[in-house]
Amino acid sequence: MSWQAYTDNLTATGKIDKAALYSRAGDSLWAQSGGFQLEANEIAEIAGAFDDPSSLQTSGLHLQKQKYFLLRADERSIYGKLQEEGVVAVRTKQAILLAHYPRGVEPGSATTVVEKLADYLISVNY
């Protein structure tokens, strides 16, 4: 399966409207769906926040020039919210999986979809 298929599968669930897959370091975009490409400083901020979330805790999470309120940040997952929309970022062994869910989608169901894909990627050493 190509990397593009993973992001396309996320958007096909109806829970996610935009998704991207980056290298774990955040220096390479592997796939995107729904036009979800971040600025270099935005993905660098996320990649670094898995190890040290203090910057996100003080200034929020920035994606596509939008500021999201940080809900959670640890070594595996980062969640953010902007009004009724949200984002989920999950780090695997070799990648960072990013997903955006739109208004009308239950945050928990969107998160579950992304976390399950991340679990699969980890199980196959990605």
Side-chain angles (χ1 to χ4, degrees), residues 66-82:
Q66 292 287 323
K67 181 179 178 181
Y68 290 78
F69 177 75
L70 181 66
L71 299 174
R72 171 185 175 167
D74 60 34
E75 68 279 349
R76 176 186 160 101
S77 303
I78 297 172
Y79 302 161
K81 192 153 178 74
L82 174 64

Side-chain angles (χ1 to χ4, degrees), residues 2-126:
S2 74
W3 292 120
Q4 187 63 46
Y6 291 108
T7 58
D8 290 346
N9 286 342
L10 280 175
T11 58
T13 66
K15 307 291 183 196
I16 303 299
D17 63 348
K18 299 185 272 188
L21 194 60
Y22 283 86
S23 65
R24 183 179 170 112
D27 57 1
S28 176
L29 175 64
W30 293 355
Q32 66 174 340
S33 296
F36 200 40
Q37 185 170 352
L38 305 186
E39 300 288 327
N41 63 317
E42 293 173 336
I43 187 61
E45 177 183 64
I46 292 169
F50 286 106
D51 294 319
D52 180 10
S54 61
S55 66
L56 296 184
Q57 293 165 341
T58 57
S59 64
L61 175 63
H62 299 88
L63 299 165
Q64 294 189 307
K65 300 181 183 174
Q66 292 287 323
K67 181 179 178 181
Y68 290 78
F69 177 75
L70 181 66
L71 299 174
R72 171 185 175 167
D74 60 34
E75 68 279 349
R76 176 186 160 101
S77 303
I78 297 172
Y79 302 161
K81 192 153 178 74
L82 174 64
Q83 297 173 2
E84 296 176 41
E85 303 174 13
V87 293
V88 178
V90 183
R91 183 170 71 173
T92 68
K93 294 177 182 179
Q94 297 184 41
I96 297 173
L97 183 58
L98 294 167
H100 177 273
Y101 59 89
R103 290 186 169 129
V105 172
E106 177 64 36
S109 59
T111 300
T112 298
V113 168
V114 179
E115 293 280 358
K116 283 185 179 182
L117 178 54
D119 287 341
Y120 170 76
L121 291 173
I122 290 167
S123 77
V124 295
N125 291 317
Y126 277 101

